[in-house]
Structures are given as C-alpha cells and as structure tokens.
Amino acid sequence: MKKILFIALFITCFSQLVKADTTSYWHVYYNKIKMAELGGYGNGHVIKLKTNSIKTGDSITVRYHQCSPCHDCPTNLTAENGKHRVIASGQGKGSFNPVSFSLEAIKNSGLEYIEVFYFEGGAYSGAGKVLLFNIKLE
C-alpha cells in the first residue's frame, strides 16, 4: 500500500512540474509597472492604451519564458503593423530577461492596432517569431 501511495504522489508531483515547464508565458510592463501576465501565444490578448496618455520616454517591456530557455542568445521584441512592417523594436539577451521598445513611434504611427512579436536569434527573419499580444490605441 505504501508503494502505491508513493508512486501516486510521485506521479502527481512530476505531472505538476511538467505542466509548469512546458508552457510559454510572458509578463508585460508599461514603463516599470506590470500590466499583464499572459501565455498561450497571443490569441486574442489585447492591451488597450490611451494615445493621449503616452508620454515621451514611455515603453513596453516584456519578459518572455519558454520551456527551452536560452541564456546567451539575442532576444528581440517587435511592434508591427498588420503587414509586418516593424514600427518599433528592442533587443535583449537571454530568456526571461527584459526586452523593451519605445511607445513614441507607436503613438506617432497613426495605427489603431499593433501586433507585438517575440523571437530569438540575431537577424530578423520572421522565422520562429511568436505573436504575444496586440496593442489597441484609443
């Protein structure tokens, strides 16, 4: 009986670790204030910003975590229009380290919706980029 209880406990604990380890998630900050904890590849995540409240120097920062983190690789965050033209971008190094971009270019873009993507690697190729969320300017 003790063996069965031990095996059941082991399987329960291990399954919880696996669940937490296989999901990508990210934290989104407006300046240095956390505004969202998201996951699940950006399907329907919309962050609304008031255009007239965006000031010079304001930024969006993302800390992205995935099940196979890199510690030394270049990380990139891009804000793009619907045709994948980059409006603003930021670079960092390593998973779950902050990567930021300025909101000034987004404010001046005249667009209502902006898509925010994350990808790892040096040159921007579009391969492996993940849609994190959309920004809706009001």
Side-chain angles (χ1 to χ4, degrees), residues 5-78:
L5 184 59
F6 176 75
I7 290 170
L9 181 63
F10 178 77
I11 290 171
T12 303
C13 291
F14 183 74
S15 68
Q16 293 300 318
L17 289 173
V18 171
K19 285 180 188 173
D21 194 28
T22 59
T23 303
S24 296
Y25 64 90
W26 49 95
H27 299 173
V28 181
Y29 300 82
Y30 184 95
N31 295 326
K32 294 185 181 194
I33 300 169
K34 186 188 293 184
M35 61 185 311
E37 291 184 18
L38 304 171
Y41 296 109
N43 297 337
H45 299 305
V46 177
I47 293 177
K48 296 178 183 178
L49 300 176
K50 302 268 186 218
T51 306
N52 57 2
S53 68
I54 297 173
K55 298 176 182 67
T56 302
D58 284 357
S59 65
I60 291 287
T61 300
V62 172
R63 295 183 63 164
Y64 183 86
H65 178 270
Q66 61 186 345
C67 60
S68 57
C70 67
H71 301 287
D72 248 0
C73 68
T75 56
N76 302 277
L77 191 63
T78 59

Side-chain angles (χ1 to χ4, degrees), residues 4 12 91:
I4 293 172
T12 303
Q91 291 77 37

